[in-house]
Every structure is written in structure tokens, then in C-alpha cells.
Amino acid sequence: MEREEIIQDLHVQIESMARLHVRHGLYHSEGFRKRREHVRKMIREHNVDVRKELDPMVGLLYRRYFD
């Protein structure tokens, strides 16, 4: 997978997490936890610098759900 595809996939995953939380209140669900772990794994495996490589808005969402 190319770097741009990885970053784009992270954007989609993180934005999807925000929708699940805001629209459906699924922040404490098992599916939400698994999705968060999947995103963390992708970031770790591909050495993504979240501060530099993520879109600023997605970076804010990342900080909200992962810090």
C-alpha cells in the first residue's frame, strides 16, 4: 500500500469513529475499541507521524479519541 493510501485510509477510519461516537453513542462499545486498536496498529506499522501527516481536522479527532 502506498503512503498516500495509508494516510487516506487512516482519515476515513478516524472520521468514521467520530461519526459512530456522535451519531450513535458507541464510544464505549467493543466495535469502537477494536476500531481504535486497528488504527493504532496501522499507525505503528507504517510509522505515521500523526502531527505532520494527518489533515489538521483529522488530527484533532485523533487527539480526541486516542490521547
Side-chain angles (χ1 to χ4, degrees):
M1 204 186 265
E2 289 190 33
R3 191 73 173 177
E4 295 82 26
E5 291 174 343
I6 293 166
I7 300 301
Q8 184 61 34
D9 188 33
L10 285 171
H11 284 169
V12 169
Q13 293 289 329
I14 293 169
E15 289 171 343
S16 176
M17 290 175 65
R19 281 192 302 279
L20 286 173
H21 177 221
V22 173
R23 289 186 185 162
H24 305 289
L26 297 174
Y27 183 72
H28 297 291
S29 71
E30 181 67 18
F32 193 90
R33 185 192 65 75
K34 286 181 180 180
R35 185 171 291 215
R36 188 177 352 181
E37 289 304 316
H38 174 72
V39 170
R40 283 185 175 144
K41 182 181 174 186
M42 283 181 63
I43 290 170
R44 196 173 42 249
E45 286 178 354
H46 298 287
N47 296 316
V48 175
D49 185 345
V50 294
R51 293 184 186 258
K52 292 181 181 177
E53 294 183 84
L54 293 181
D55 179 80
M57 185 55 125
V58 175
L60 289 172
L61 293 172
Y62 174 83
R63 285 195 298 276
R64 178 176 182 175
Y65 294 110
F66 291 89
D67 285 344

